[in-house]
Amino acid sequence: MVEFDRFTFVRPVFLGRTRFKSVGFARVSSFELGGGNEQISALKACGCTSVFKEVIDEKITGQRMRAFEDAVENLKEGDELVLLSLDRLGRTMVEVITRLQELQARGIHLRTLDGLVETKLLGEFGLKIIYLLRGIYEVDRSIRLEGNLEKLE
């Protein structure tokens, strides 16, 4: 229990733990200047205990993200993965949504430094938002496919 002047703050206990780990993940392009140092500095500044860095070659598609897998393996239920922005989670919308679902299934929270996503605050709505994103992706995909078919005709 921590006391601040007249107020008392009790640390929440979740899964028998009062402390949770924040791990950062930086995905950088092989063409990115500075090698992702800005991402790493920002992740460390926001309190990440460790930061995993993935360098992706933009010319090669379907690359396995080993550093991402290592970062997730380093987390337990209730911990959080911190990213600069949601697009750092994958190169396509399908990859991003799939990884969001994997994190949600393992009870790992996600927070982006741009402030758009913080699943710890969303609680039960986190999964619903992931499904909403999946639905938006499907609509976008069908619109693009329809437009491409019209161009071919």
Side-chain angles (χ1 to χ4, degrees), residues 17-67:
R17 296 168 51 201
T18 56
R19 296 197 50 113
F20 296 96
K21 195 174 5 176
S22 292
V23 170
F25 174 70
R27 182 178 66 89
V28 297
S29 162
S30 57
F31 300 112
E32 196 169 320
L33 296 175
N37 291 335
E38 289 179 12
Q39 281 187 59
I40 294 168
S41 296
L43 292 166
K44 286 182 178 177
C46 81
C48 292
T49 55
S50 56
V51 176
F52 292 80
K53 176 182 163 185
E54 188 85 56
V55 178
I56 299 293
D57 188 344
E58 298 295 329
K59 297 176 186 173
I60 302 172
T61 58
Q63 294 178 68
R64 188 167 161 217
M65 293 175 62
R66 287 186 177 90

Side-chain angles (χ1 to χ4, degrees), residues 90-140:
R91 294 176 69 189
T92 66
M93 187 66 133
V94 173
E95 285 180 4
V96 170
I97 292 170
T98 300
R99 290 194 176 109
L100 279 169
Q101 288 174 326
E102 290 169 3
L103 294 171
Q104 182 78 25
R106 291 192 54 195
I108 297 170
H109 299 287
L110 180 74
R111 178 169 51 109
T112 59
L113 297 185
D114 61 8
L116 293 177
V117 177
E118 188 162 355
T119 60
K120 195 180 288 186
L121 296 178
L122 295 172
E124 296 175 10
F125 295 108
L127 188 59
K128 291 177 175 118
I129 288 175
I130 290 168
Y131 288 127
L132 176 65
L133 288 173
R134 179 76 182 202
I136 291 170
Y137 165 75
E138 291 297 330
V139 169
D140 181 58

